[in-house]
Amino acid sequence: MAYTNTILLVDDSEIILKVLSFMIRKAGYNVLSASDGKKALKFLDGGNIDLAFTDLNMPEMNGIELITEIRRTERYRFMPVVLFIDDKEKERKTIMETSGATMLLDKNDIKEKVISTIKTMLD
């Protein structure tokens, strides 16, 4: 299978990284993964990344801080970024307006929606 697009996946849950990485690769995409925003920064080296998924709450550097760094980088400034949030987040509208994310996705729905979200964002 030829990998056509590269997805950056950032989450502090090892199980989420493993499950989503498997699903995304199986769908034909290349995956780069990191357990927090700070570790994800090493991938922002000018290489080809077409879409990023990041969790909101992570150690070292949270999702909003990571998105801020992504938006500061010329190469990735307009790259779509999907932010995973807990469905209990009360400030959804504020998070969407201030985070720099292209889209919010409830963390409880990610396994069911990750591939369709990728296809929507990239096709």
Side-chain angles (χ1 to χ4, degrees):
M1 179 180 303
Y3 296 111
T4 57
N5 294 102
T6 299
I7 311 300
L8 175 60
L9 183 58
V10 188
D11 197 304
D12 59 330
S13 167
E14 187 176 330
I15 192 92
I16 297 249
L17 285 178
K18 284 182 178 182
V19 169
L20 293 182
S21 292
F22 175 79
M23 291 172 65
I24 293 167
R25 283 188 182 102
K26 188 175 177 187
Y29 301 96
N30 187 34
V31 178
L32 304 171
S33 64
S35 59
D36 65 54
K38 193 171 185 180
K39 290 176 181 154
L41 291 177
K42 71 181 179 185
F43 295 117
L44 302 177
D45 61 0
N48 184 40
I49 302 173
D50 301 291
L51 172 63
F53 285 90
T54 183
D55 191 14
L56 174 61
N57 298 308
M58 297 180 291
E60 297 295 320
M61 178 183 282
N62 68 37
I64 293 174
E65 293 166 332
L66 174 59
I67 294 169
T68 299
E69 290 302 313
I70 289 170
R71 298 296 181 228
R72 286 184 186 155
T73 308
E74 185 66 33
R75 169 78 170 90
Y76 306 106
R77 180 166 291 143
F78 300 108
M79 175 179 67
V81 179
V82 178
L83 182 62
F84 299 148
I85 63 166
D86 188 323
D87 66 351
K88 297 175 192 141
E89 292 288 340
K90 295 176 179 81
E91 304 296 324
R92 291 178 70 90
K93 185 176 180 189
T94 302
I95 291 169
M96 188 61 211
E97 291 172 351
T98 62
S99 68
T102 310
M103 176 182 176
L104 300 180
L105 188 60
D106 285 335
K107 198 158 188 179
N108 293 333
D109 296 334
I110 56 176
K111 286 189 268 182
E112 293 79 23
K113 294 185 177 179
V114 70
I115 301 305
S116 63
T117 300
I118 292 170
K119 290 180 182 198
T120 298
M121 295 283 186
L122 297 181
D123 291 345

